[in-house]
Amino acid sequence: MSKNNPRLVLLSCCAPCSVGAATQLREQGADFCVLFHNPNIYPESEYQKRLAEQIRLCESMGVKYVVGKYDRDAWAQCVKGMEDEPERGRRCAACFRHRIEWGARYARDNGYDAFATVFGVSKHKDQCQVDAVAKAAEGQGVRYIPTDWDEDLHQEIIKKAGFYRQSYCGCEFSMKKTDG
């Protein structure tokens, strides 16, 4: 595959965060799949809701998708000792590393040239932190393509699609307390 048009794996945390990127990639004629590998999401019922929405998005767009294993224990090991870290802190970097390295290996092992991610799209996350972790994962035989997803397109599509939207990033440590 040429350097300008790589086969790409798009790492996704949820349908609302990935809809704009998937739309742009599809419109560009990219050869890509969406990878949903999010063992950080808690509780498992929340994971299942987000997975169902991701599948609904991909199937409605005719986009290939892959679902990684929900290995909560492996994820918990990667953030052990960082439970009290603030959002966007060391715990988030460790979580990104765990998921991005898994995604980079998946890309390499399945003949993809590159990977991108929407993990920094959420207002709860820091795109610079995501980019730094992803750049470090390039050494696994695939390159990271940092992207600037069209935020206006993203918001427009979300409003039309009516996706389930969560109020926290995913792990139990990021859950927001809500007033009854």
Side-chain angles (χ1 to χ4, degrees):
M1 202 91 243
S2 79
K3 188 170 183 144
N4 293 332
N5 193 19
R7 292 191 69 227
L8 179 82
V9 173
L10 176 65
L11 284 67
S12 175
C13 51
C14 63
C17 286
S18 67
V19 67
T23 300
Q24 284 178 252
L25 288 167
R26 190 184 67 180
E27 288 174 356
Q28 294 166 2
D31 181 3
F32 75 102
C33 76
V34 172
L35 173 62
F36 187 87
H37 176 68
N38 298 293
N40 59 306
I41 298 175
Y42 177 87
E44 189 170 352
S45 59
E46 177 70 17
Y47 170 86
Q48 293 299 333
K49 283 182 194 175
R50 295 185 195 194
L51 173 58
E53 286 293 86
Q54 186 69 69
I55 291 170
R56 180 171 75 97
L57 167 66
C58 291
E59 289 181 349
S60 73
M61 294 179 69
V63 170
K64 295 178 282 190
Y65 65 90
V66 176
V67 179
K69 183 178 177 188
Y70 185 70
D71 188 348
R72 187 88 180 133
D73 293 336
W75 177 83
Q77 278 301 107
C78 88
V79 299
K80 189 174 182 161
M82 295 180 260
E83 296 85 354
D84 295 327
E85 286 285 318
E87 283 298 287
R88 301 179 177 205
R90 291 181 323 127
R91 183 188 66 245
C92 291
C95 177
F96 293 143
R97 187 169 23 271
H98 178 77
R99 294 156 56 212
I100 289 170
E101 287 178 355
W102 197 96
R105 278 191 305 276
Y106 176 86
R108 181 197 64 223
D109 293 349
N110 289 279
Y112 289 89
D113 306 305
F115 66 95
T117 179
V118 295
F119 292 168
V121 169
S122 168
K123 65 183 178 185
H124 304 290
K125 297 301 168 203
D126 175 0
Q127 185 65 50
C128 292
Q129 184 182 46
V130 172
D131 287 342
V133 170
K135 192 75 177 151
E138 279 188 314
Q140 296 184 34
V142 292
R143 66 186 167 104
Y144 172 58
I145 299 179
T147 48
D148 184 17
W149 308 115
D150 183 334
E151 183 60 25
D152 292 334
L153 174 65
H154 173 83
Q155 291 302 325
E156 177 185 326
I157 296 169
I158 286 175
K159 287 177 188 171
K160 287 180 185 174
F163 288 115
Y164 162 71
R165 296 189 71 184
Q166 58 279 355
S167 62
Y168 65 102
C169 180
C171 76
E172 64 263 38
F173 312 114
S174 69
M175 290 176 93
K176 292 182 178 179
K177 303 230 184 236
T178 57
D179 295 329

